[in-house]
Amino acid sequence: MTPGVGADRVLTVPNALSVARLAGVPLFLWLLLGPHQDLAALVVLAVSGFTDWADGVLARKLNQTSRLGALLDPTADRLYILATLVGLTLRHIIPWWLAAVLVGRDALLGIPLLALRRHGFGPPPVHYLGKAATFALLYAFPLLLLGARDDGVGAVAHPIAWAFTIWGTGLYLWAGALYVRQAFQLVRGSVEGSVTRGDTAA
């Protein structure tokens, strides 16, 4: 590992990009719900998507991976998804139940996370299905916004947007189920290990 670069380092280029992404969340939501500047909101989303890709690449190339970065990156993804769901629902671009399903999935995952912490585990590593789901949804949201336009661009974007939405939602729920399964296996292994050690000691 490069000197001065470690898992606990805070001031890194990837972390700065992640913080910038987080700062863009309220700006995006204001553009979407305040002045209805949809094109500007799309630019914020596009910049967020680019920096999401860039911070991962830079973290590997510059050897600047960190625990903080591992926390900031998925947090920014979740906040963008939540902000976009709120905005698109209030703009009546997506039905409320779709937002409820996606938000409910994340809320329910808090239960196994608490169980993991109780048994001394951190969250399981992000599954590739979860990354694919986030990728699909972050493509779906700007396309949904474009699909709401009453012109040729909207007519083309609308079916593509809903294809990405359906794929992303399915993968998002599947990844959540895998997360719960991972958590259950870790907790069960911890409990069984405790019982075995207790029997041995007896």
Side-chain angles (χ1 to χ4, degrees), residues 38-39 42 142-160:
D38 293 350
L39 290 179
L42 285 172
L143 287 170
L144 285 168
L145 200 54
L146 285 175
R149 294 166 57 100
D150 294 323
D151 55 18
V153 173
V156 173
H158 188 266
I160 300 173

Side-chain angles (χ1 to χ4, degrees), residues 4 9 12 18 27 60 69 72 74 79 106 115-116 123-124 126 129 132 168 172 187 201:
R9 187 173 178 185
T12 66
S18 293
L27 173 62
R60 291 186 293 271
L72 288 176
L79 286 177
D106 282 343
L116 286 171
V126 177
L129 281 177
Y172 207 57
V187 170

Side-chain angles (χ1 to χ4, degrees), residues 32-171:
L32 196 60
L33 297 179
H36 286 199
Q37 293 290 333
D38 293 350
L39 290 179
L42 285 172
V43 170
V44 174
L45 272 184
V47 171
S48 169
F50 174 76
T51 55
D52 184 26
W53 168 81
D55 65 14
V57 172
L58 290 173
R60 291 186 293 271
K61 285 191 174 182
L62 301 177
N63 196 22
Q64 291 185 348
T65 57
S66 66
R67 292 190 181 94
L68 178 61
L71 176 65
L72 288 176
D73 190 47
T75 299
D77 288 340
R78 295 295 178 273
L79 286 177
Y80 268 104
I81 289 175
L82 178 60
T84 309
L85 288 172
V86 170
L88 295 180
T89 301
L90 293 177
R91 289 277 301 273
H92 304 291
I93 295 174
I94 62 172
W96 66 268
W97 58 262
L98 176 60
V101 166
L102 294 173
V103 174
R105 176 264 195 194
D106 282 343
L108 287 174
L109 289 186
I111 298 174
L113 180 60
L114 290 174
L116 286 171
R117 287 179 177 172
R118 182 178 180 184
H119 289 271
F121 296 105
V126 177
H127 197 276
Y128 75 92
L129 281 177
K131 293 181 179 180
T134 301
F135 175 84
L137 289 174
L138 290 178
Y139 265 83
F141 294 150
L143 287 170
L144 285 168
L145 200 54
L146 285 175
R149 294 166 57 100
D150 294 323
D151 55 18
V153 173
V156 173
H158 188 266
I160 300 173
W162 278 103
F164 272 105
T165 301
I166 293 169
W167 296 335
T169 300
L171 290 173

